[in-house]
C-alpha cells in the first residue's frame, strides 16, 4: 500500500528528499530496473552516469515490452523505493497496440473524428492491459512537406482537420476517466512546429512567423490540451533559435500563461541533452539549468537533471519551487491515473482477454474501409465477382502492410493481397522490376480481365528520420503499368505509402486507389472496396504535388499581390512557374466514390450577418448513381478584406453524410462569427467586417460559392 493513501500530494512532496524529487523527472528504459547494472547494461548506465540509487528514484519508464515485464519492473522498483511512489509507464501507441489501425494520415482521410475516437479507445483498452499508462499520441504537427517522413504519423496540412482528429484521439484514449483500468493518458506532441522542418528533413531547423505559429501550427496542440491531454512533448526543433525543449516562450508564456495549462511537459528522446549540439548550452549542468528554468518537467532518455539539479538547488542557482511544481504535476498525474491505488493497473486483468479480439479486428477493418482514397476511376471499379485478375508488384504478397510505428503489431499474421484475392487470380508475381516479367508471364497475364498493380513505398521508408528528396514511387515500380498498357488490359493501381508521393506516371491507370498503410485488416479492406462491397469515401488530408519542385504546396495559401489567374492569364509577371502549373496533382479534400455526387443550389439564409448573428448555408447534394455511399461535404470560407492578408480558403466545417442510391439531400452548416474570426500575429482573435465567400463542395478545389457580408453590429 503506498503512502499516498494517507497523505495529500503536498504532504508526500514534503517528505521527499531533493534527490527523490529530482528522480520523478527522470524517464529511462525498463531494462535498467531489472537487468544487472554492472554486467548487462554497464555501457548504457555509464553513458547516463546513473547509479542504482538514482535509477530507483526515477519517476517514469519509456516503453515496456509485455505485462510480465511491467509487473517485474514495478515490483522491483516498489520494493526498493522509500515512499512507494509507483512508476509511470509511457510508450508510443500510435495507431493501435496489437490490433493495428490505419496510420494517422490514412485515418485523417476518413474525415471521421468519431472513428478516430473509437480507434484510440480500442488502443487504450489493449495497451493498458499490457501495463501502459501514457501514450505518446496524438502527433498533431501540421505539415506541408511530404518529404518529411513523419507526415505518416500526423493528420495532414489543415489545422481544423488536425484539431478535430487530435481531439477525438485524446478523448478516446481517456475513455470514461483516467482512473479507469482501461484508460491511457494522452501526451500530445511535438510542441511546437516540428512538422515545419525546413526542406522536409527530419529534425531540421524550423523558421515560422508568429502569424503562422499562432494561427496554423499552435491551434491543434491547444485543441488536444483542451480535450484533456495531460502531457505535452517538446519538439526537436528550435523556435526563434531556441530549442523547443528549453523554450520558455512555448513552455511558459504560451502553455502556462496563455493556455492556463497544467499538463506535464516532457522532452523528446534525448532532446534536452541535445541543446548542447544546438549550441545553446555548453555542458550538461547548463542543460539541466535551462531545462528546469524554462519549464521542462520530465527529461526523456538523458540524465542531466538526475546528475545536476540537486547540486544546482543546493547552490541556490535553481529555485526549489520550480522542482516542486514539476514534481507535483507528475504526482498529480499518477494520482489521477489511479496508480497510487493500484500500481499494476490494467495488467491484473487477464492478459490477452482484450487483445486482438474479433470486435477489435472488425473495427480495424471498418476504419480501413473509410481511410482509402479513390483518386482515379474510369468505371473499371468496382470489379465484378467473376473477374480474372493478374496481380503484380511487391505488395502482392507483402505482409508489411500495417505501417510504421506499430511496435506490438504483428507483420506475419495478417493476410496479404494474394491470399484474399486468390479465387480471382489467374496470375500473381511480386516482382517490382518490369524487365523480370517473362514472355510466359505475359502470356498468363493476357488471360486476365484486369491487371492490379500493388506498388508503393516499403513501410520503412516513412516515419521518424525517414525523409526523402525523391518521393516518386521507388525503384521504377510505376513502369509495371506498361504491362497492362501494352497488353491493352485495364489496370488498377493500389498505392501503399506513408506520404503523398509524386504519382503523375500512374495517373493514367484506369483506377488508382490510395491505400496508405491500413493496419491489421488491410488486404480484406482493399478487396471489399475493389469488389464494391464497400464504396470508398476517403478524402485527401494533404495535397499531392505534381513535382517535388512545388513543395511546400497546400490549399490554404495566401493570394499574393500577383496571383496567376489560370490558362487565360498571359501576364508574365505573376506568381507562377515557367515549367509547371501552380495547381497540385490532387488537392486537399479530394477523393472519388462509386457514387457520382452533384452539388447545386448553394444558399445562405441571409447574405449579410452581424457578429451576434448566425446564418445557415445549405447545399443540395444529389447522388447520381445506383450505389449507396458516403460523401464528405466540406465548408470553406474566404475572408476577402481584412487587416492582414487571409488565405484563399480555409476549411471551417465538414459533414460525412450517407446517401442511398440516387438520393438527394440538403446539407446545412451554421455559420457564426467564430467561422469568420482569425488569429493575428499577436495571438489575438479578431474579425473584420466586409466581404467573405462561403464555399461548399466535395473537395477544396471544387466548390460552389456565395457572397456573404459581415456588417457591424447595430449599437
Ligand atoms: C520521437 C517521439 C517518440 C519518442 C519516444 C522520439 O524519437 O520523436 O515521437 O514519442 O521517440 O519513443
Amino acid at each position: 500500500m503506498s503512502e499516498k493513501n494517507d497523505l495529500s500530494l503536498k504532504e508526500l512532496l514534503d517528505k521527499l528528499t531533493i534527490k527523490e524529487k529530482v528522480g520523478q523527472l527522470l524517464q529511462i528504459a525498463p531494462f535498467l530496473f531489472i537487468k544487472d547494472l554492472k554486467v548487462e547494461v554497464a555501457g548504457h548506465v555509464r553513458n547516463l552516469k546513473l547509479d542504482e540509487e538514482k535509477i530507483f528514484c526515477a519517476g517514469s519508464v519509456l516503453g515496456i515490452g509485455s505485462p510480465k515485464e511491467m509487473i517485474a519492473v514495478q515490483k522491483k522498483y516498489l520494493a526498493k523505493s522509500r515512499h512507494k511512489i509507483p512508476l509511470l509507464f509511457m510508450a508510443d501507441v500510435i495507431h493501435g497496440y496489437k490490433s493495428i489501425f490505419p496510420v494517422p494520415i490514412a485515418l485523417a482521410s476518413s474525415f471521421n473524428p468519431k472513428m478516430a475516437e473509437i480507434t484510440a479507445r480500442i488502443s487504450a483498452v489493449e495497451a493498458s492491459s499490457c501495463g501502459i499508462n501514457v501514450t505518446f499520441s496524438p502527433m498533431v504537427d501540421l505539415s506541408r512537406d511530404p518529404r518529411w517522413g513523419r507526415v505518416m504519423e500526423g493528420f495532414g496540412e489543415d489545422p481544423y482537420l488536425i484539431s478535430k482528429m487530435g481531439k477525438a484521439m485524446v478523448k478516446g484514449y481517456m475513455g470514461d476517466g483516467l482512473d479507469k483500468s482501461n484508460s491511457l493518458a494522452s501526451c500530445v506532441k511535438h510542441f511546437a512546429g516540428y512538422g515545419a522542418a525546413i526542406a522536409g528533413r527530419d529534425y531540421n531547423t524550423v523558421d515560422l512567423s508568429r502569424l503562422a505559429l499562432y494561427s496554423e501550427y499552435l491551434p491543434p496542440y491547444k485543441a488536444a490540451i483542451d480535450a484533456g491531454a495531460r502531457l505535452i512533448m517538446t519538439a526537436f526543433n528550435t523556435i526563434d533559435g531556441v530549442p523547443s525543449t528549453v523554450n520558455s516562450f512555448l513552455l511558459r508564456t504560451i502553455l502556462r500563461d496563455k493556455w492556463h495549462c497544467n499538463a506535464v511537459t516532457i522532452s523528446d528522446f534525448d532532446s534536452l541533452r541535445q541543446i548542447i549540439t544546438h549550441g545553446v548550452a555548453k555542458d550538461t549542468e547548463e542543460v539541466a539549468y535551462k531545462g528546469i528554468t524554462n519549464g521542462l518537467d520530465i527529461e526523456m532518455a538523458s540524465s542531466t537533471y538526475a546528475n545536476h539539479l540537486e547540486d544546482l538547488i543546493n547552490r541556490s542557482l535553481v529555485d526549489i519551487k520550480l522542482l516542486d511544481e514539476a514534481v507535483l504535476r507528475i504526482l498529480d498525474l499518477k494520482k489521477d491515473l489511479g496508480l497510487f491505488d493500484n500500481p499494476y493497473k490494467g495488467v491484473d486483468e487477464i492478459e490477452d482477454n482484450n487483445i486482438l479480439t474479433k470486435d477489435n479486428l472488425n473495427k480495424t477493418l471498418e476504419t480501413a474501409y473509410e481511410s482509402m482514397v479513390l483518386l482515379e476511376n474510369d468505371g473499371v471499379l468496382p470489379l465484378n465477382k467473376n473477374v480474372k485478375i493478374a496481380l503484380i508488384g511487391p505488395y502482392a504478397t507483402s505482409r508489411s502492410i500495417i505501417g510504421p510505428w506499430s511496435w506490438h503489431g504483428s507483420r506475419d499474421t495478417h493476410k496479404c493481397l494474394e491470399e484474399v484475392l486468390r479465387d480471382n487470380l489467374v496470375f500473381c508475381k511480386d516482382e517490382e522490376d518490369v524487365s523480370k516479367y517473362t514472355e510466359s508471364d505475359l502470356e498468363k497475364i493476357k488471360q486476365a480481365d484486369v491487371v492490379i498493380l500493388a506498388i508503393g513505398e516499403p513501410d520503412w521508408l516513412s516515419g521518424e528520420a525517414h525523409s526523402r528528396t525523391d518521393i516518386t514511387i521507388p525503384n521504377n515500380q510505376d513502369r509495371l503499368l506498361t504491362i497492362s498498357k501494352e497488353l491493352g488490359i485495364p489496370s488498377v493501381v493500389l498505392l501503399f505509402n506513408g506520404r503523398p508521393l509524386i504519382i503523375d506516371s500512374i495517373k493514367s491507370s484506369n483506377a488508382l486507389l490510395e491505400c496508405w498503410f491500413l493496419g491489421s485488416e488491410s488486404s480484406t479492406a482493399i478487396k471489399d472496396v475493389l469488389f464494391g462491397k464497400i464504396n470508398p469515401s476517403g478524402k485527401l488530408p494533404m495535397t499531392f504535388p505534381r513535382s517535388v519542385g512545388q513543395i511546400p504546396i497546400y490549399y490554404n495559401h495566401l493570394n499574393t499581390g500577383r496571383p496567376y489567374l489560370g490558362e487565360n492569364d498571359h501576364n508574365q509577371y505573376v506568381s507562377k512557374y515557367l515549367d509547371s502549373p501552380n495547381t497540385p496533382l490532387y488537392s486537399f479534400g479530394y477523393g472519388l466514390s462509386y457514387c457520382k455526387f452533384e452539388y447545386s443550389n448553394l444558399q445562405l439564409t441571409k447574405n449579410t450577418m452581424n457578429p451576434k448573428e448566425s446564418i445557415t448555408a445549405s447545399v443540395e447534394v444529389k447522388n447520381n448513381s445506383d450505389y449507396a455511399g458516403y460523401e464528405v461535404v466540406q465548408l470553406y470560407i474566404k475572408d476577402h478584406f481584412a487587416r492582414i492578408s487571409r488565405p484563399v480558403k480555409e476549411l471551417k466545417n465538414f459533414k460525412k453524410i450517407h446517401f442511398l442510391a440516387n438520393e438527394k439531400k440538403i446539407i446545412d452548416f451554421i455559420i457564426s462569427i467564430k467561422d469568420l474570426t482569425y488569429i493575428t500575429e499577436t495571438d489575438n482573435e479578431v474579425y473584420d467586417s466586409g466581404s467573405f465567400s462561403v464555399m461548399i463542395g466535395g473537395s477544396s478545389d471544387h466548390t460552389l460559392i456565395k457572397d456573404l457580408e459581415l456588417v457591424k453590429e447595430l449599437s
Side-chain angles (χ1 to χ4, degrees):
M1 187 68 46
S2 72
E3 293 199 20
K4 167 60 196 62
N5 291 320
D6 317 311
L7 299 173
S8 75
L9 291 184
K10 181 72 184 62
E11 284 168 325
L12 175 58
L13 181 76
D14 290 342
K15 293 182 75 183
L16 305 186
T17 62
I18 297 182
K19 187 183 260 67
E20 285 166 342
K21 289 178 184 175
V22 170
Q24 288 300 314
L25 313 192
L26 174 66
Q27 174 162 113
I28 45 178
F31 59 82
L32 290 169
F33 299 91
I34 43 179
K35 296 252 159 114
D36 186 336
L37 295 180
K38 288 192 207 73
V39 187
E40 291 168 87
V41 288
H44 194 81
V45 175
R46 214 176 306 123
N47 293 343
L48 288 171
K49 298 193 174 72
L50 295 174
D51 55 19
E52 185 163 321
E53 191 188 4
K54 283 178 182 160
I55 288 174
F56 281 88
C57 281
S60 57
V61 177
L62 169 61
I64 193 78
S66 65
K68 224 166 122 199
E69 188 185 26
M70 184 270 185
I71 292 169
V73 170
Q74 189 77 290
K75 215 177 195 159
K76 188 152 172 219
Y77 178 85
L78 289 176
K80 292 200 179 202
S81 134
R82 202 161 69 97
H83 301 281
K84 318 285 174 222
I85 302 172
L87 281 167
L88 190 53
F89 290 83
M90 308 198 193
D92 292 280
V93 181
I94 307 295
H95 54 109
Y97 185 70
K98 293 216 174 180
S99 301
I100 302 296
F101 294 95
V103 293
I105 189 84
L107 186 59
S109 308
S110 74
F111 275 67
N112 187 344
K114 190 70 212 154
M115 184 72 105
E117 186 176 336
I118 293 168
T119 72
R121 184 81 294 272
I122 292 170
S123 306
V125 169
E126 291 196 354
S128 60
S129 72
C130 291
I132 295 169
N133 312 125
V134 173
T135 175
F136 298 128
S137 166
M139 184 187 102
V140 296
D141 300 314
L142 184 150
S143 185
R144 296 164 167 172
D145 197 329
R147 291 171 297 184
W148 191 51
R150 292 195 89 165
V151 299
M152 178 280 304
E153 203 186 331
F155 300 120
E157 72 185 31
D158 180 70
Y160 179 79
L161 178 62
I162 302 172
S163 301
K164 284 270 178 200
M165 300 303 284
K167 210 168 136 178
M169 298 287 289
V170 173
K171 280 172 66 184
Y173 289 133
M174 255 182 344
D176 292 335
L178 280 191
D179 58 327
K180 301 288 177 298
S181 65
N182 62 9
S183 290
L184 294 180
S186 160
C187 173
V188 60
K189 64 192 187 187
H190 305 84
F191 193 54
Y194 181 42
I198 290 176
R201 204 181 73 221
D202 204 6
Y203 315 127
N204 201 7
T205 305
V206 162
D207 199 359
L208 285 175
S209 69
R210 282 291 150 110
L211 178 64
L213 191 69
Y214 287 135
S215 62
E216 294 164 324
Y217 286 81
L218 292 185
Y221 306 107
K222 170 83 163 54
I225 291 288
D226 289 346
R230 289 293 299 270
L231 301 95
I232 186 160
M233 186 188 292
T234 63
F236 285 117
N237 55 277
T238 57
I239 290 290
D240 294 333
V242 183
S244 304
T245 302
V246 294
N247 191 313
S248 71
F249 161 71
L250 292 175
L251 301 181
R252 294 206 183 282
T253 313
I254 299 287
L255 198 64
R256 306 282 184 231
D257 302 345
K258 285 202 167 159
W259 295 356
H260 306 291
C261 166
N262 204 32
V264 172
T265 56
I266 178 168
S267 76
D268 202 343
F269 196 100
D270 200 26
S271 70
L272 181 57
R273 201 190 48 86
Q274 287 164 14
I275 71 166
I276 299 179
T277 324
H278 277 289
V280 303
K282 63 180 180 313
D283 54 26
T284 48
E285 183 184 86
E286 193 177 357
V287 168
Y289 173 83
K290 287 212 164 177
I292 196 76
T293 50
N294 291 310
L296 182 76
D297 297 343
I298 298 182
E299 174 175 14
M300 182 200 292
S302 56
S303 51
T304 68
Y305 281 177
N307 292 326
H308 299 288
L309 263 191
E310 187 177 3
D311 186 46
L312 286 169
I313 289 168
N314 286 337
R315 284 155 58 208
S316 301
L317 293 171
V318 166
D319 188 342
I320 193 162
K321 260 177 38 201
L322 296 179
L323 175 64
D324 285 351
E325 280 167 17
V327 175
L328 259 186
R329 275 191 286 272
I330 295 162
L331 294 179
D332 201 40
L333 177 61
K334 291 183 176 182
K335 183 199 78 187
D336 290 352
L337 277 162
L339 291 177
F340 286 107
D341 299 322
N342 181 5
Y344 304 95
K345 194 183 121 159
V347 292
D348 38 14
E349 286 166 22
I350 304 161
E351 188 193 344
D352 284 350
N353 223 8
N354 300 320
I355 293 188
L356 280 172
T357 61
K358 207 161 172 273
D359 281 356
N360 293 1
L361 286 171
N362 267 339
K363 281 290 174 221
T364 71
L365 180 64
E366 282 171 30
T367 319
Y369 285 155
E370 293 203 33
S371 302
M372 281 172 262
V373 188
L374 184 63
L375 297 174
E376 300 288 339
N377 185 20
D378 67 359
V380 66
L381 292 182
L383 303 172
N384 88 46
K385 69 177 191 329
N386 299 318
V387 70
K388 286 184 267 168
I389 298 174
L391 176 64
I392 61 174
Y395 277 102
T397 55
S398 172
R399 291 176 200 281
S400 289
I401 41 185
I402 57 175
W405 275 120
S406 32
W407 299 118
H408 295 273
S410 158
R411 282 181 170 65
D412 312 322
T413 51
H414 305 297
K415 289 194 184 118
C416 66
L417 282 170
E418 183 192 23
E419 286 163 320
V420 299
L421 295 175
R422 189 158 283 157
D423 290 350
N424 296 79
L425 290 186
V426 293
F427 179 78
C428 178
K429 185 162 172 166
D430 56 9
E431 177 56 55
E432 62 181 4
D433 180 351
V434 69
S435 70
K436 301 265 171 61
Y437 286 76
T438 62
E439 279 305 318
S440 122
D441 288 340
L442 297 183
E443 281 308 311
K444 289 179 198 142
I445 294 174
K446 272 189 200 159
Q447 316 296 314
D449 303 315
V450 63
V451 179
I452 297 186
L453 287 76
I455 60 177
E457 290 181 312
D459 65 347
W460 51 266
L461 268 191
S462 56
E464 185 177 351
H466 286 76
S467 299
R468 297 174 64 203
T469 58
D470 173 1
I471 54 168
T472 55
I473 300 167
N475 303 333
N476 300 318
Q477 292 170 39
D478 45 349
R479 294 208 188 133
L480 292 175
L481 192 57
T482 56
I483 295 182
S484 54
K485 295 263 182 210
E486 278 164 20
L487 296 177
I489 303 173
S491 55
V492 174
V493 175
L494 305 176
L495 188 64
F496 295 82
N497 47 333
R499 54 157 67 79
L501 294 173
I502 306 299
I503 51 172
D504 48 338
S505 61
I506 51 170
K507 194 175 184 295
S508 64
S509 53
N510 299 77
L512 172 52
L513 185 65
E514 172 55 79
C515 301
W516 308 110
F517 294 109
L518 293 169
S520 301
E521 295 290 335
S522 279
S523 302
T524 308
I526 292 167
K527 176 188 170 188
D528 289 346
V529 164
L530 289 175
F531 285 93
K533 176 175 170 197
I534 294 298
N535 190 347
S537 60
K539 302 278 184 176
L540 293 178
M542 203 170 167
T543 303
F544 272 51
R546 291 174 194 274
S547 66
V548 168
Q550 288 186 315
I551 298 170
I553 180 168
Y554 47 96
Y555 85 94
N556 49 358
H557 56 84
L558 303 188
N559 204 23
T560 83
R562 294 183 173 194
Y564 173 57
L565 301 176
E567 273 167 27
N568 297 326
D569 184 350
H570 300 298
N571 188 349
Q572 198 184 336
Y573 294 97
V574 289
S575 181
K576 68 172 167 54
Y577 296 106
L578 296 178
D579 56 354
S580 162
N582 284 2
T583 53
L585 194 65
Y586 300 111
S587 296
F588 174 87
Y590 169 81
L592 302 172
S593 151
Y594 298 150
C595 304
K596 297 272 166 280
F597 293 110
E598 190 192 327
Y599 286 69
S600 63
N601 206 14
L602 170 58
Q603 295 203 350
L604 306 182
T605 44
K606 282 173 72 186
N607 48 21
T608 60
M609 66 179 258
N610 73 46
K612 291 233 165 102
E613 287 177 303
S614 54
I615 60 155
T616 301
S618 63
V619 71
E620 221 171 87
V621 183
K622 169 101 205 298
N623 172 13
N624 284 325
S625 78
D626 295 332
Y627 297 99
Y630 285 92
E631 168 70 337
V632 179
V633 183
Q634 303 159 43
L635 169 77
Y636 296 88
I637 288 186
K638 153 99 180 137
D639 182 353
H640 287 278
F641 304 105
R643 64 197 87 176
I644 55 173
S645 186
R646 303 280 300 119
V648 292
K649 62 188 65 163
E650 290 174 298
L651 183 68
K652 292 292 178 181
N653 205 342
F654 57 83
K655 288 184 178 174
K656 190 161 184 171
I657 309 282
H658 187 260
F659 288 80
L660 299 173
N662 295 300
E663 191 181 13
K664 181 163 84 183
K665 282 185 178 178
I666 310 270
I667 311 301
D668 285 339
F669 291 100
I670 293 174
I671 297 175
S672 71
I673 192 64
K674 85 170 177 4
D675 301 306
L676 310 182
T677 298
Y678 60 94
I679 301 175
T680 66
E681 78 290 357
T682 49
D683 202 13
N684 288 316
E685 288 194 20
V686 298
Y687 55 83
D688 296 304
S689 49
S691 0
F692 291 78
S693 289
V694 174
M695 292 163 260
I696 300 184
S699 166
S700 67
D701 64 346
H702 210 77
T703 57
L704 300 174
I705 305 188
K706 271 271 180 252
D707 294 338
L708 172 67
E709 190 77 9
L710 179 66
V711 293
K712 291 209 176 82
E713 243 172 282
L714 295 176
S715 47

